Amino acid sequence: VTVQRACHNSFIEWAKGDSPHAKYTVSSVIFVAQIICVAIGWILAHSTGGKEDLKKCFDAGNLTKFAHIGLIYALGDIFEMESVNYIDSSTYTVLSQSKLIITASLMWILDGSAQSMMQWFILFTTSSGMLEYVLVGKAKGGAMTFSVFGVCLALVKVLISCYVAVLNTKALKRDNNPFPVQFSCLKVSWAMASLVYMIVKDGILGDGMFGEWTHRTVVLVFCGFILKTLFNQYLLKVLDAIWKNISEAIGVILVYFGRVMFLGGKYDPTVFNAGVTVVLACIAYVLSKEGKAKKSEVGDELDPNMYPDLTTSLLRHRRA
């Protein structure tokens, strides 16, 4: 998941070719990717659960349950694609790591999942490293591309992504339907929102709904958006939004080297060190959560309430 997510941002930049802005329309890439994802969800549902699970994909209740989440995800995709038109992929990836502290805050507010003081300081360290990366890269100039408008789009994408990831994690874990059913229902509203955006922005207000597609655009759709959404949704299903963001954070270094090796970027040790700082802070945050979980497990083992059968048998013997 980490490798694919890192490649996804590079694919968006690579798909532009030599043009400063993408010749394909952002809306068409998102719409085509989501339509294919809907079909994949139906195929997976039928192959794993037969006609019964396939029928659930068209149930109005299931579609309604995930409709608002799919709409918000579509907005996030739009801001992501537009932002990478104005800033380079490595800068976007580092900026996106601010979602760690935002997601932790949202999970605290919406889910009651509190963070320790140490974890908050680690998250602030992550944000500081992210800011250092951007400022150092801007000072060095060179292959890094900056735009105030692009940075603003990226930050809006981060806010949307954080909010919807927390919502989706709760929805996936509370819903009893199989994952392919959940996935297809989510993608239907996602695709419909993308279609409306494409018709209005590039059809009615633009010159063409699809623009100019090349083989790079096709690679972006299949190896970027489709794989990303499959991996991310399953990761949210089995883990949580924090772990998804940690996976993306570790991809910072991969994106940086991908830009140096394949996209004409120039290696700069100062910028690279700032990126490493972000990754190390993210890993420290993971370890702090694991340590907390292990402490809780030991406490559970020592808690008599964790052994109701033993307690019942002892009380029965005492009464006798």
Side-chain angles (χ1 to χ4, degrees):
V1 173
T2 301
V3 173
Q4 191 282 326
R5 192 65 181 85
C7 291
H8 174 72
N9 294 338
S10 298
F11 281 141
I12 295 177
E13 187 176 357
W14 172 74
K16 293 189 297 185
D18 298 328
S19 175
H21 300 286
K23 293 184 179 180
Y24 56 82
T25 60
V26 169
S27 58
S28 65
V29 169
I30 299 172
F31 172 67
V32 172
Q34 304 318 314
I35 284 294
I36 295 174
C37 284
V38 171
I40 291 174
W42 291 343
I43 294 171
L44 289 175
H46 186 270
S47 62
T48 56
K51 293 182 178 180
E52 182 178 350
D53 278 4
L54 182 61
K55 186 178 180 180
K56 293 179 182 178
C57 296
F58 300 93
D59 181 77
N62 293 333
L63 291 171
T64 303
K65 187 182 300 182
F66 291 96
H68 67 292
I69 300 176
L71 174 61
I72 300 173
Y73 264 121
L75 291 175
D77 276 350
I78 292 167
F79 279 101
E80 178 183 46
M81 290 288 288
E82 295 288 359
S83 66
V84 182
N85 271 328
Y86 298 94
I87 57 177
D88 63 272
S89 58
S90 58
T91 303
Y92 171 81
T93 305
V94 173
L95 282 173
S96 67
Q97 302 324 305
S98 60
K99 69 174 62 177
L100 281 172
I101 191 168
I102 297 174
T103 301
S105 301
L106 286 173
M107 291 183 72
W108 180 33
I109 296 170
L110 300 178
D111 230 4
S113 303
Q115 309 290 317
S116 67
M117 184 66 69
M118 178 182 67
Q119 289 170 336
W120 280 118
F121 273 100
I122 294 174
L123 290 173
F124 286 128
T125 302
T126 305
S127 301
S128 177
M130 172 202 70
L131 181 61
E132 180 188 1
Y133 181 95
V134 173
L135 294 177
V136 171
K138 183 175 178 60
K140 294 289 182 178
M144 301 187 74
T145 306
F146 290 92
S147 164
V148 175
F149 182 65
V151 169
C152 291
L153 289 176
L155 292 178
V156 172
K157 152 66 180 172
V158 168
L159 291 172
I160 293 173
S161 179
C162 293
Y163 178 65
V164 75
V166 175
L167 284 182
N168 199 25
T169 299
K170 294 172 66 175
L172 289 172
K173 292 187 175 183
R174 291 178 180 179
D175 185 66
N176 296 323
N177 288 308
F179 174 72
V181 176
Q182 297 173 331
F183 180 78
S184 63
C185 291
L186 175 66
K187 287 298 176 180
V188 167
S189 59
W190 201 328
M192 292 302 101
S194 303
L195 176 61
V196 172
Y197 177 71
M198 182 174 67
I199 292 174
V200 174
K201 179 181 179 292
D202 299 306
I204 298 175
L205 303 178
D207 298 326
M209 290 192 294
F210 286 86
E212 297 180 21
W213 275 49
T214 64
H215 70 283
R216 294 190 180 197
T217 315
V218 176
V219 171
L220 171 62
V221 169
F222 283 92
C223 298
F225 278 93
I226 293 175
L227 285 183
K228 182 196 78 166
T229 192
L230 282 169
F231 289 162
N232 282 353
Q233 292 303 311
Y234 192 72
L235 197 62
L236 289 174
K237 172 74 173 179
V238 298
L239 294 174
D240 59 27
I242 288 290
W243 276 95
K244 170 182 171 291
N245 294 335
I246 292 297
S247 171
E248 296 176 4
I250 298 173
V252 168
I253 301 302
L254 299 180
V255 172
Y256 181 79
F257 277 113
R259 179 170 177 78
V260 170
M261 291 187 293
F262 303 113
L263 297 175
K266 183 180 179 181
Y267 174 74
D268 187 291
T270 310
V271 178
F272 175 72
N273 182 67
V276 170
T277 302
V278 175
V279 174
L280 292 179
C282 292
I283 294 174
Y285 180 71
V286 174
L287 294 178
S288 71
K289 292 182 74 68
E290 287 184 344
K292 183 179 179 181
K294 290 179 181 178
K295 182 178 179 181
S296 177
E297 290 169 5
V298 172
D300 289 343
E301 290 178 1
L302 298 178
D303 185 1
N305 293 326
M306 297 298 294
Y307 307 95
D309 295 336
L310 178 61
T311 304
T312 302
S313 63
L314 289 174
L315 289 175
R316 186 184 301 112
H317 177 71
R318 184 178 178 181
R319 285 196 298 269

